Amino acid sequence: MLKIGVFVCWCGSNIAATVDVKQVVEAVKLQQGVVFATDYQYMCSEAGQLIMRNAIEEYKLDGVVICSCSPRMHEATFRKNAERAGLNPFMVEIANIREHCSWIHKDVEEGTIKAIALANAAIAKVKLNAPLISGESGVTKRALVIGGGIAGIQTALDIAEAGFQVDIVEKSPTIGGNMAKLDKTFPTLDCSACILTPKMVDAAANPNIELLTYSEVEKVSGFVGNFKATIRKKARYINTDLCTGCGDCMSKCPSKKGKNEFNCGLNNRPAIYIPFAQAIPNVAVIDPVQCIKITKDKCGLCQTVCSAKAIDYKQQDEIIEREYGAIVAATGYKPIKLDKFDEYGYSQSKDVITSLELERLMNAAGPTGGKLVKPSDGSHPHTITFIQCVGSRDISGRGKCYCSKICCMYTAKHAMLIRDKYPDVNVNVFYIDVRTPGKNYDEFYRRAVEEYNVNYIKGQVGKVYESDGHLVLQASDLLNNEQILVNSDMVVLATAIEADESAKKVASMLTASIDTNNFLTEAHAKLRPVESPTAGIFLSGVCQGPKDIPETVSQASACAAKVIGLLSKAKLVTNPCVAHSDELLCNGCSNCANVCPYGAIGYETKLINDHGIRENRRVAVVNPALCQGCGACTVACPSGAMDLFGFSNSQIMAEVEAICKK
Amino acid sequence: MKKDMELANEVIRISGANPIRCMKCGKCSASCPSFNEMEYAPHKFVDMVVHGRIEELMESKSIFHCLSCFACVERCPRGVEPAKIVEAIRVVKQRQIGENYLDANDIPAIVDEQIPQQALVSAFRKFKK
């Protein structure tokens, strides 16, 4: 006869306010096999864990049921505790009476009935538990970082610094991401290039970092510590070992009509180009859609002028397969498209621009050499008006429901920089709320108002139209309860940001979860903010949610710390709750192998002794090192041969029976 | 106060709009072409409905100065749909002041066999208090 102990946690008032814990204790004592039951305010505390250990020793318990929060929260805690008291950790079951009961119910009587039912189910299950022994798996000492913006660069640098190999896979021809496009950065106004490009150089020079630019991850398989990735290195049509980055090809290329991506399309670039002067790697790339040699087999000028003989029109994509212990998503963001916001006239007037475009117009390395001019005619603007929250905090379906977080600060920065460089220019800012929490942030915004006389107007802009050669904004001035018309030479839209379009694809490849806005979800919003719920997958930068540069860099380093922690381990403890096949029942149909997401199931032809009948049969065999215990095979198996240790069919049926029994 | 909120909830129900979503950005009033004719501008209108001030709105000429151009509905980032709320108050107002377009005594003269009975019943319901 098994001896079961039950421990009911109050979780302070989280459980005890909605569930009568004393009544639960009395009810479970009536269950067959329960020799001890008690309740305690915080079972997870040291005092609570001591109660559990003492009971295991005193009553010689064979199984333990904890009625508490979700097993995702504290299953590991209680298993470890059982081990300390000499009980196999897999003889512990959790009845989730917080998330599944007290948090979602208001009525104490009904909550208590449900808590008792959940406790009884766990008791029924634990009676069928068997002691399990965890196995071990190795860790590949190499990390993959997907995305080469400031987040990916920082994470890679920190991991490399700890002595581990890192590959950065970046889809565009250079690393640097959005930050490379910025002019100056808040709140200290140091220039983005001055603080970013040295990091880019460090990443390129670090012997532990390999840059795979103009490349994309196509497929990922495996599991924590043992991932396999397939990476496509797109053809650059340039031999990167030979190219010196001299730029002779760029000046000779006759096809100069490509939109310059780095300058947000504000000017054009040739078909063969280096994205910008500080690009890493500083080698050219050919746009195969634009190049007339590749599309029409004419021209070939760049090849004749290239003294390094680096140009290869026949270059093909290259497929690389690598193994990794950990993978970091750092896919970043982009500004949203403004085609649903016609009222601002972005598509009608060249002088209506986005904030990122303004960064390029003010940047010394930008299309105007840093001289702020009206894009329409190159003249000097006298009034510039900013509109905040363009597409942010928008639930109408045109924009994004969230606050993009960075716009209040960069708009204050833009306003201040313009007033500083061109004191004759009047600057207006239309705002809904100014949100500037952060060290020295609100002071920064107030400086724009108090020292630089930027005119902040509370209210949104209804429409922007052209009249007599300038732009007119019809807007609310809410504090004066007026509708006002403001003349302006340029309008700058603080455009909402969204997750990069690659995020969704990367998330599904990594089996990492994403939210409705395509931001990757963290394992715990507060306590595990840089890990994905999928083991071995980590999150760095804006792919997890909007954040500015200081926050991105902190998170990137935190992410690196977690990766280093994982890669430092000699062995990983594997989950013993894996699938196994009953060879006598298996009919070799392959259903299980077809549904297995981890490729853990193979087939062998074996001599089977089926009640005296000896024959060769094709049967399923599970590789326990690969199996992650998801249970898909147990559901797909038509003959009931597949079963899961720790979650066997009989255990689940016992739980169902216990819940249904009155 | 309770009665005011009941009336407000009725207006909200009739309109099918959701004024509590308003984040007070003023985009509706920024877009309104008859702003200068309105005693209560659209953003004010939405706020007054949230606070149950329906009777003041019903007494205001603002409800008939709204052009129903729906620019505010189109541009509101929160999907509040101010013009629909104005429309709902217009409907409540018209019902309450009993502006009968049909007088019972006039009916026999205008009725003919082609008019469905249901239309007459509906007209009474709509325009009679």
Side-chain angles (χ1 to χ4, degrees), chain A residues 385-400:
Chain A
T385 304
F386 290 84
I387 305 176
Q388 292 204 191
C389 291
V390 174
S392 294
R393 308 166 68 191
D394 187 316
I395 55 173
S396 71
R398 295 199 296 168
K400 298 288 167 188

PDB file of all heavy atoms in Angstrom, chain A residues 385-400:
ATOM      1  N   THR A 385       6.899  70.604 -37.879  1.00  0.00           N
ATOM      2  CA  THR A 385       5.926  70.131 -36.904  1.00  0.00           C
ATOM      3  C   THR A 385       6.007  68.614 -36.786  1.00  0.00           C
ATOM      4  O   THR A 385       6.041  67.906 -37.794  1.00  0.00           O
ATOM      5  CB  THR A 385       4.507  70.560 -37.310  1.00  0.00           C
ATOM      6  OG1 THR A 385       4.506  71.973 -37.468  1.00  0.00           O
ATOM      7  CG2 THR A 385       3.491  70.164 -36.243  1.00  0.00           C
ATOM      8  N   PHE A 386       6.043  68.147 -35.538  1.00  0.00           N
ATOM      9  CA  PHE A 386       6.093  66.711 -35.260  1.00  0.00           C
ATOM     10  C   PHE A 386       4.718  66.228 -34.833  1.00  0.00           C
ATOM     11  O   PHE A 386       4.024  66.923 -34.088  1.00  0.00           O
ATOM     12  CB  PHE A 386       7.091  66.423 -34.137  1.00  0.00           C
ATOM     13  CG  PHE A 386       8.519  66.638 -34.540  1.00  0.00           C
ATOM     14  CD1 PHE A 386       9.092  67.905 -34.490  1.00  0.00           C
ATOM     15  CD2 PHE A 386       9.295  65.578 -34.967  1.00  0.00           C
ATOM     16  CE1 PHE A 386      10.405  68.105 -34.860  1.00  0.00           C
ATOM     17  CE2 PHE A 386      10.611  65.767 -35.344  1.00  0.00           C
ATOM     18  CZ  PHE A 386      11.176  67.030 -35.289  1.00  0.00           C
ATOM     19  N   ILE A 387       4.339  65.054 -35.292  1.00  0.00           N
ATOM     20  CA  ILE A 387       3.101  64.429 -34.827  1.00  0.00           C
ATOM     21  C   ILE A 387       3.479  63.124 -34.138  1.00  0.00           C
ATOM     22  O   ILE A 387       4.092  62.246 -34.752  1.00  0.00           O
ATOM     23  CB  ILE A 387       2.126  64.142 -35.989  1.00  0.00           C
ATOM     24  CG1 ILE A 387       1.856  65.427 -36.779  1.00  0.00           C
ATOM     25  CG2 ILE A 387       0.823  63.559 -35.448  1.00  0.00           C
ATOM     26  CD1 ILE A 387       0.978  65.216 -38.008  1.00  0.00           C
ATOM     27  N   GLN A 388       3.120  63.008 -32.870  1.00  0.00           N
ATOM     28  CA  GLN A 388       3.454  61.782 -32.129  1.00  0.00           C
ATOM     29  C   GLN A 388       2.316  60.767 -32.222  1.00  0.00           C
ATOM     30  O   GLN A 388       1.211  61.080 -32.636  1.00  0.00           O
ATOM     31  CB  GLN A 388       3.756  62.143 -30.673  1.00  0.00           C
ATOM     32  CG  GLN A 388       5.035  62.935 -30.540  1.00  0.00           C
ATOM     33  CD  GLN A 388       5.657  62.825 -29.165  1.00  0.00           C
ATOM     34  OE1 GLN A 388       6.558  63.540 -28.844  1.00  0.00           O
ATOM     35  NE2 GLN A 388       5.170  61.922 -28.348  1.00  0.00           N
ATOM     36  N   CYS A 389       2.616  59.559 -31.776  1.00  0.00           N
ATOM     37  CA  CYS A 389       1.630  58.464 -31.746  1.00  0.00           C
ATOM     38  C   CYS A 389       0.995  58.230 -33.125  1.00  0.00           C
ATOM     39  O   CYS A 389      -0.212  58.061 -33.236  1.00  0.00           O
ATOM     40  CB  CYS A 389       0.529  58.719 -30.726  1.00  0.00           C
ATOM     41  SG  CYS A 389       1.055  58.632 -29.028  1.00  0.00           S
ATOM     42  N   VAL A 390       1.787  58.207 -34.185  1.00  0.00           N
ATOM     43  CA  VAL A 390       1.239  57.883 -35.498  1.00  0.00           C
ATOM     44  C   VAL A 390       1.209  56.355 -35.641  1.00  0.00           C
ATOM     45  O   VAL A 390       2.231  55.722 -35.870  1.00  0.00           O
ATOM     46  CB  VAL A 390       2.060  58.529 -36.634  1.00  0.00           C
ATOM     47  CG1 VAL A 390       1.558  58.062 -38.002  1.00  0.00           C
ATOM     48  CG2 VAL A 390       1.975  60.051 -36.533  1.00  0.00           C
ATOM     49  N   GLY A 391       0.034  55.808 -35.416  1.00  0.00           N
ATOM     50  CA  GLY A 391      -0.115  54.358 -35.504  1.00  0.00           C
ATOM     51  C   GLY A 391       0.123  53.618 -34.199  1.00  0.00           C
ATOM     52  O   GLY A 391      -0.096  52.418 -34.127  1.00  0.00           O
ATOM     53  N   SER A 392       0.566  54.333 -33.165  1.00  0.00           N
ATOM     54  CA  SER A 392       0.721  53.680 -31.864  1.00  0.00           C
ATOM     55  C   SER A 392      -0.574  53.847 -31.065  1.00  0.00           C
ATOM     56  O   SER A 392      -1.335  54.777 -31.312  1.00  0.00           O
ATOM     57  CB  SER A 392       1.854  54.316 -31.058  1.00  0.00           C
ATOM     58  OG  SER A 392       3.086  54.094 -31.685  1.00  0.00           O
ATOM     59  N   ARG A 393      -0.807  52.993 -30.117  1.00  0.00           N
ATOM     60  CA  ARG A 393      -1.966  53.048 -29.220  1.00  0.00           C
ATOM     61  C   ARG A 393      -3.253  53.089 -30.031  1.00  0.00           C
ATOM     62  O   ARG A 393      -4.197  53.767 -29.680  1.00  0.00           O
ATOM     63  CB  ARG A 393      -1.864  54.286 -28.308  1.00  0.00           C
ATOM     64  CG  ARG A 393      -0.523  54.381 -27.598  1.00  0.00           C
ATOM     65  CD  ARG A 393      -0.301  55.732 -26.979  1.00  0.00           C
ATOM     66  NE  ARG A 393      -1.224  55.952 -25.862  1.00  0.00           N
ATOM     67  CZ  ARG A 393      -1.399  57.129 -25.276  1.00  0.00           C
ATOM     68  NH1 ARG A 393      -0.738  58.186 -25.698  1.00  0.00           N
ATOM     69  NH2 ARG A 393      -2.216  57.254 -24.281  1.00  0.00           N
ATOM     70  N   ASP A 394      -3.250  52.353 -31.112  1.00  0.00           N
ATOM     71  CA  ASP A 394      -4.342  52.425 -32.070  1.00  0.00           C
ATOM     72  C   ASP A 394      -5.035  51.066 -32.133  1.00  0.00           C
ATOM     73  O   ASP A 394      -4.434  50.081 -32.544  1.00  0.00           O
ATOM     74  CB  ASP A 394      -3.752  52.798 -33.447  1.00  0.00           C
ATOM     75  CG  ASP A 394      -4.822  53.058 -34.484  1.00  0.00           C
ATOM     76  OD1 ASP A 394      -5.789  52.279 -34.541  1.00  0.00           O
ATOM     77  OD2 ASP A 394      -4.679  54.029 -35.247  1.00  0.00           O
ATOM     78  N   ILE A 395      -6.318  51.040 -31.735  1.00  0.00           N
ATOM     79  CA  ILE A 395      -7.029  49.752 -31.775  1.00  0.00           C
ATOM     80  C   ILE A 395      -8.079  49.749 -32.880  1.00  0.00           C
ATOM     81  O   ILE A 395      -8.957  48.900 -32.914  1.00  0.00           O
ATOM     82  CB  ILE A 395      -7.665  49.398 -30.414  1.00  0.00           C
ATOM     83  CG1 ILE A 395      -8.579  50.514 -29.938  1.00  0.00           C
ATOM     84  CG2 ILE A 395      -6.602  49.099 -29.379  1.00  0.00           C
ATOM     85  CD1 ILE A 395      -9.366  50.150 -28.687  1.00  0.00           C
ATOM     86  N   SER A 396      -7.985  50.742 -33.775  1.00  0.00           N
ATOM     87  CA  SER A 396      -8.986  50.811 -34.839  1.00  0.00           C
ATOM     88  C   SER A 396      -8.680  49.811 -35.951  1.00  0.00           C
ATOM     89  O   SER A 396      -9.487  49.620 -36.844  1.00  0.00           O
ATOM     90  CB  SER A 396      -9.003  52.219 -35.429  1.00  0.00           C
ATOM     91  OG  SER A 396      -7.822  52.440 -36.179  1.00  0.00           O
ATOM     92  N   GLY A 397      -7.505  49.186 -35.886  1.00  0.00           N
ATOM     93  CA  GLY A 397      -7.117  48.245 -36.935  1.00  0.00           C
ATOM     94  C   GLY A 397      -6.138  48.868 -37.920  1.00  0.00           C
ATOM     95  O   GLY A 397      -5.559  48.176 -38.739  1.00  0.00           O
ATOM     96  N   ARG A 398      -5.946  50.198 -37.831  1.00  0.00           N
ATOM     97  CA  ARG A 398      -5.008  50.834 -38.757  1.00  0.00           C
ATOM     98  C   ARG A 398      -3.577  50.763 -38.239  1.00  0.00           C
ATOM     99  O   ARG A 398      -2.621  50.782 -39.006  1.00  0.00           O
ATOM    100  CB  ARG A 398      -5.374  52.307 -38.949  1.00  0.00           C
ATOM    101  CG  ARG A 398      -6.725  52.502 -39.619  1.00  0.00           C
ATOM    102  CD  ARG A 398      -6.834  53.895 -40.203  1.00  0.00           C
ATOM    103  NE  ARG A 398      -6.801  54.937 -39.187  1.00  0.00           N
ATOM    104  CZ  ARG A 398      -6.645  56.221 -39.458  1.00  0.00           C
ATOM    105  NH1 ARG A 398      -6.492  56.618 -40.694  1.00  0.00           N
ATOM    106  NH2 ARG A 398      -6.635  57.116 -38.487  1.00  0.00           N
ATOM    107  N   GLY A 399      -3.424  50.746 -36.915  1.00  0.00           N
ATOM    108  CA  GLY A 399      -2.079  50.796 -36.339  1.00  0.00           C
ATOM    109  C   GLY A 399      -1.836  49.671 -35.367  1.00  0.00           C
ATOM    110  O   GLY A 399      -2.322  48.560 -35.539  1.00  0.00           O
ATOM    111  N   LYS A 400      -1.060  49.978 -34.325  1.00  0.00           N
ATOM    112  CA  LYS A 400      -0.675  48.976 -33.335  1.00  0.00           C
ATOM    113  C   LYS A 400      -1.279  49.365 -31.983  1.00  0.00           C
ATOM    114  O   LYS A 400      -1.282  50.537 -31.612  1.00  0.00           O
ATOM    115  CB  LYS A 400       0.853  48.933 -33.217  1.00  0.00           C
ATOM    116  CG  LYS A 400       1.533  48.527 -34.506  1.00  0.00           C
ATOM    117  CD  LYS A 400       1.316  47.060 -34.767  1.00  0.00           C
ATOM    118  CE  LYS A 400       1.690  46.680 -36.175  1.00  0.00           C
ATOM    119  NZ  LYS A 400       1.311  45.305 -36.491  1.00  0.00           N
TER     120      LYS A 400
END
